[in-house]
Amino acid sequence: MNRRTAREDVVKLLYGYELTGEDPDLMLSNYYVDESTGYEMDYIKCTFKGACNHINELDGVIKSKLIGWRLERVAKVDQAILRCAVYEIKYGGIPEKVAINEAVNIAKKYSTENSGSFINGVLGDIFKGGE
């Protein structure tokens, strides 16, 4: 498993969390039976649980840049992608350019035709001021 695949798994877990509100530990135990992926599994666990623990803060950062939009109107998969990227940058030590590029690529793969540009715009607005 590579980092992009692990990042996609985090987005999938965050999407499921948004839909179900299930306990993050339970979600991880149900989602991953084989823990042999080592470093990437640690990344998935830390990023997913960290994002869940900071979800209100992450949403506040995202909402501050949604001009003319409410977070509730943003597609659930796009919310998950944004939360993952913002968490990675603020808490995971991932460089802004890397996290934004990965988020855009995941959006192009899993969301709508326009989601890549939307994600890029929101993340660009969030991090251009050094938040």
Side-chain angles (χ1 to χ4, degrees):
M1 171 183 296
N2 62 34
R3 179 56 65 96
R4 172 154 310 155
T5 303
R7 195 172 273 117
E8 289 174 3
D9 286 346
V10 171
V11 168
K12 290 173 188 177
L13 284 162
L14 287 169
Y15 177 80
Y17 179 74
E18 174 68 21
L19 293 180
T20 67
E22 191 173 344
D23 177 69
D25 289 319
L26 182 59
M27 288 183 71
L28 282 168
S29 68
N30 289 335
Y31 197 77
Y32 293 99
V33 177
D34 178 12
E35 301 237 356
S36 65
T37 56
Y39 175 75
E40 297 304 339
M41 188 62 204
D42 289 342
Y43 162 83
I44 291 166
K45 285 180 180 179
C46 290
T47 304
F48 172 61
K49 288 180 71 174
C52 290
N53 289 336
H54 291 90
I55 203 155
N56 291 331
E57 177 190 347
L58 301 175
D59 287 354
V61 170
I62 295 164
K63 286 177 186 178
S64 74
K65 300 302 178 181
L66 292 177
I67 309 303
W69 284 79
R70 290 184 326 226
L71 186 59
E72 298 79 27
R73 288 190 58 217
V74 175
K76 300 294 184 205
V77 69
D78 292 351
Q79 288 180 37
I81 294 166
L82 287 165
R83 288 170 175 157
C84 180
V86 172
Y87 181 83
E88 282 188 311
I89 294 166
K90 289 184 75 71
Y91 296 103
I94 305 297
E96 293 173 11
K97 288 184 180 185
V98 172
I100 293 170
N101 184 56
E102 290 292 311
V104 168
N105 286 327
I106 292 170
K108 288 178 181 178
K109 181 174 180 180
Y110 290 101
S111 196
T112 67
E113 181 179 323
N114 297 322
S115 288
S117 296
F118 174 74
I119 296 288
N120 187 54
V122 172
L123 292 174
D125 282 349
I126 290 170
F127 292 104
K128 73 178 176 189
E131 285 188 41

